[in-house]
Amino acid sequence: MKPFILLCTLLAFLTGCQKDTADPSGDGVLAGSFRLEVDPVRCALPTTQRVTIHQVSDDIYRVEYDRFGSGSYKLAGVVAKKNSATAFELFVDDQPVGQYAFEELRTINGSRKTWVLSIHYHVDQTENLAFMGVKE
């Protein structure tokens, strides 16, 4: 049974860590649609391939995601605090859940600087969100 679970985990990891191309410049605006782009150095098992972020008010956002087609989920009340010209920290209920920052993204074809969204919310619960990606 253990080899089967290990094989399933390996397959999920390889499926989640596909390489996609992205606009290297990005735009620095948090609202929009993002797709999975995995940095092999920081790769973790993602729970979705795409997220959409909607701006609710000045610095409050709502994240929508689908958990690989298993249903529609929302993470509301995400607060973005700009901590520099090239980075936003994301919080839910005053707890850090991720960041949107201009940083180096490493891929098989080399490295490039781009805006990267990274969210890890309730990773130990059923409706968790684990995502790292770039704007579509």
Side-chain angles (χ1 to χ4, degrees), residues 31-106:
S33 296
F34 295 81
R35 66 177 158 68
L36 183 68
E37 176 94 15
V38 178
D39 181 335
V41 175
R42 298 180 287 178
C43 187
L45 289 177
T47 57
T48 185
Q49 290 181 325
R50 287 184 169 34
V51 299
T52 303
I53 299 180
H54 302 280
Q55 189 167 7
V56 177
S57 66
D58 285 342
D59 51 343
I60 299 177
Y61 297 85
R62 181 182 69 245
V63 179
E64 296 177 357
Y65 56 102
D66 71 356
R67 295 187 51 77
F68 291 112
S70 69
S72 180
Y73 296 88
K74 292 181 175 95
L75 175 58
V78 177
V79 177
K81 295 181 182 177
K82 192 170 191 172
N83 64 359
S84 73
T86 59
F88 295 86
E89 294 296 322
L90 306 176
F91 297 88
V92 173
D93 297 329
D94 292 326
Q95 299 297 316
V97 295
Q99 69 176 4
Y100 183 50
F102 191 75
E103 56 188 33
E104 187 172 2
L105 187 66
R106 295 166 196 84

